[in-house]
Amino acid sequence: MNDSSGSFHLIDHPLLQHKLFTLRDENTKTKDFRTCLSEMTSILCYEATRKMPMREVSVTTPFAEMKAPDMEPGSLAAVAVLRSGLGMTEGVLTLAPFTKVGHIGIYKDKESGELVQYYSKMPLDISRRHVLLLEPMIATGETADFAIRMLENYRCPAVSLLSIVAVQQGVDLILSRHPYVNIYAAALDSGVNGDGYIVPGLGDIGDRMFGTR
Ligand code: URA
């Protein structure tokens, strides 16, 4: 995990962009928002797993025996950053139901301004798995950076960060500190406002997916 082959991948597939358009629209209803977010995550997962380890396995078709390529079992994990990463979990599991899922909870202490981990539960064998870190909005990049630092303790073979919208400053922060990480996102927006929200962005993604505002 210590090489520097990571980079930022902007996925411009028309279907992904169409669903992002729906997420951006302030009139999109909670249910449709959740569905689109989940479907977008499946597409990002598809892109991020292109280079997963493969093996040749014997299989019997209705006509013959053959050796066919298959994924290495036990090679994928997803780690959702609470709470917004929860909205991406189903999208990974739809495409790759064998994925094990971890969770990490992080909050910013109001007095010190420091990020604090309040929850962590990882698959027992996470250190053998390629991790898809699910953090849909990369604004300053600090939360993702914190989560990646936590994952570094496990020495996983690869970490890919799946995001919906990113901002350049956040991408730069993550790649400068973790140059081996690949970041997959559907958009690179122009900036972050005084409240820490991406502009134009899509609003508070947790509130929009759970209908809490
Ligand atoms: N988190 C959100 O929910 N939205 C943003 O724009 C940035 C971080």
Side-chain angles (χ1 to χ4, degrees):
M1 188 155 106
N2 290 324
D3 63 43
S4 56
S5 56
S7 61
F8 178 69
H9 307 261
L10 186 63
I11 311 300
D12 62 357
H13 192 289
L15 285 173
L16 189 69
Q17 295 303 318
H18 170 67
K19 291 173 195 304
L20 175 59
F21 184 93
T22 306
L23 291 197
R24 287 196 193 275
D25 185 347
E26 64 176 358
N27 294 315
T28 297
K29 299 272 182 292
T30 306
K31 179 177 179 298
D32 297 332
F33 190 95
R34 267 202 302 269
T35 302
C36 268
L37 175 60
S38 189
E39 291 169 346
M40 288 182 76
T41 307
S42 294
I43 297 171
L44 293 171
C45 173
Y46 175 83
E47 295 290 343
T49 50
R50 262 179 204 284
K51 294 193 178 148
M52 290 291 294
M54 301 290 289
R55 59 179 187 153
E56 293 281 316
V57 190
S58 296
V59 64
T60 308
T61 79
F63 297 122
E65 264 189 41
M66 68 175 291
K67 290 239 178 202
D70 193 8
M71 287 177 75
E72 280 288 346
S75 55
L76 194 62
V79 173
V81 179
L82 301 176
R83 85 182 148 141
S84 55
L86 289 177
M88 301 177 80
T89 311
E90 198 55 42
V92 172
L93 291 173
T94 299
L95 206 60
F98 45 80
T99 305
K100 291 205 175 164
V101 181
H103 296 91
I104 176 169
I106 301 165
Y107 74 91
K108 192 178 233 174
D109 183 86
K110 284 210 174 98
E111 291 194 350
S112 67
E114 298 284 310
L115 292 178
V116 180
Q117 179 186 306
Y118 67 87
Y119 184 78
S120 171
K121 184 88 180 179
M122 296 295 147
L124 285 178
D125 58 355
I126 192 167
S127 55
R128 291 206 295 270
R129 292 172 182 260
H130 177 154
V131 172
L132 306 177
L133 180 63
L134 309 179
E135 163 70 317
M137 306 298 278
I138 303 177
T140 63
E142 284 170 12
T143 307
D145 165 52
F146 186 97
I148 294 165
R149 274 190 278 132
M150 191 280 284
L151 286 172
E152 276 166 354
N153 296 323
Y154 296 97
R155 300 184 166 275
C156 307
V159 175
S160 298
L161 174 56
L162 272 50
S163 275
I164 303 299
V165 182
V167 166
Q168 192 67 54
Q169 89 180 77
V171 169
D172 290 346
L173 179 100
I174 292 160
L175 289 180
S176 66
R177 295 189 179 171
H178 316 282
Y180 60 89
V181 168
N182 278 293
I183 304 173
Y184 297 83
L188 195 60
D189 276 13
S190 51
V192 180
N193 70 16
D195 295 322
Y197 288 108
I198 295 174
V199 180
L202 45 80
D204 187 306
I205 194 162
D207 283 342
R208 294 201 63 199
M209 78 175 79
F210 293 120
T212 41
R213 190 158 296 169

